[in-house]
Amino acid sequence: LPHHLAACVDVLDSNPDIDWIYSATRFVDMETGETISPNFFFVKGSPRSFLSSSFRRNENLFVLPPADAARIAIDENLYCGLQTSIIRREVFASRRIPAFRVGEDQALSIVCAADGLTLACLSDVHVVYRQHASNTSSSPRKSLAANILAREELIRAFSSLLIPGVLPQHLRRPLRRRIN
């Protein structure tokens, strides 16, 4: 949405401790125009657990506790898709976006959080995501076979983090649990 870039840059300018800022997404069925989820950070009006685990800086800025962010990303997902994210350039001095079509954002968030970077989110909607049968990631609009292929790619993205030296040992076990 038009306010996304300015709002995220303002957060980064005002909070030098934040390395990655992202925002909420509204999901819309492309075929019908019907809203599937008005704000994906909330389920039936209740915040997803990563919001409840975060430090609230103002009415819609939530900062994830660096010590817990990687574990939350592994166990539950941070919902920080790259289309909703603004990430400081310095983050990429020693990291790259993993080369996967599905799960690259989740894998990157796990690595960044494990490295002690600070992730934060704006709980208001900045992106409208239109679901349709051709979406790369899994979707209720896709066939079962297409959803299985998307899940297999997500498993490959997560499995790439199990290579020695990518994550500390204490995060590898919960990641293996999520993969299985």
Side-chain angles (χ1 to χ4, degrees), residues 4-9 12 18-23 81-89 92 120:
H4 174 64
L5 185 58
C8 289
V9 169
L12 292 177
I18 295 174
D19 301 294
W20 178 330
I21 182 71
Y22 61 99
S23 63
L82 295 176
Q83 70 273 29
T84 71
S85 297
I86 303 295
I87 305 169
R88 291 189 190 277
R89 176 181 6 186
F92 297 104

Side-chain angles (χ1 to χ4, degrees), residues 19-167:
D19 301 294
W20 178 330
I21 182 71
Y22 61 99
S23 63
T25 301
R26 176 183 314 122
F27 281 78
V28 174
D29 183 298
M30 183 142 171
E31 190 175 297
T32 66
E34 191 173 310
T35 297
I36 298 165
S37 172
N39 185 326
F40 207 61
F41 285 0
F42 298 86
V43 179
K44 297 179 183 173
S46 297
R48 291 192 184 269
S49 58
F50 78 90
L51 279 182
S52 302
S53 303
S54 300
F55 303 114
R56 193 173 197 157
R57 290 230 175 129
N58 66 32
E59 72 179 52
N60 73 333
L61 176 61
F62 295 80
V63 180
L64 290 135
D68 300 333
R71 184 62 179 251
I72 294 167
I74 291 169
D75 290 346
E76 305 161 26
N77 195 345
L78 296 176
Y79 301 94
C80 55
L82 295 176
Q83 70 273 29
T84 71
S85 297
I86 303 295
I87 305 169
R88 291 189 190 277
R89 176 181 6 186
E90 296 81 24
V91 168
F92 297 104
S94 60
R95 292 167 206 84
R96 297 286 172 257
I97 297 172
F100 295 98
R101 293 188 66 224
V102 175
E104 75 287 350
D105 47 3
Q106 291 183 55
L108 181 63
S109 71
I110 292 168
V111 169
C112 287
D115 287 346
L117 299 180
T118 300
L119 285 77
C121 65
L122 294 165
S123 61
D124 57 324
V125 172
H126 287 210
V127 172
V128 177
Y129 185 89
R130 289 170 176 77
Q131 279 191 336
H132 51 82
S134 298
N135 286 131
T136 304
S137 55
S138 59
S139 160
R141 309 253 339 136
K142 294 174 84 161
S143 70
L144 178 59
N147 277 316
I148 289 170
L149 289 174
R151 289 295 177 173
E152 288 173 344
E153 181 73 358
L154 180 62
I155 290 168
R156 281 191 292 280
F158 283 164
S159 296
S160 73
L161 302 179
L162 294 173
I163 296 168
V166 176
L167 290 179

Side-chain angles (χ1 to χ4, degrees), residues 159-180:
S159 296
S160 73
L161 302 179
L162 294 173
I163 296 168
V166 176
L167 290 179
Q169 188 63 35
H170 75 279
L171 294 173
R172 295 173 70 160
R173 183 181 319 243
L175 185 58
R176 277 192 194 93
R177 215 173 18 252
R178 179 147 183 216
I179 290 169
N180 292 325

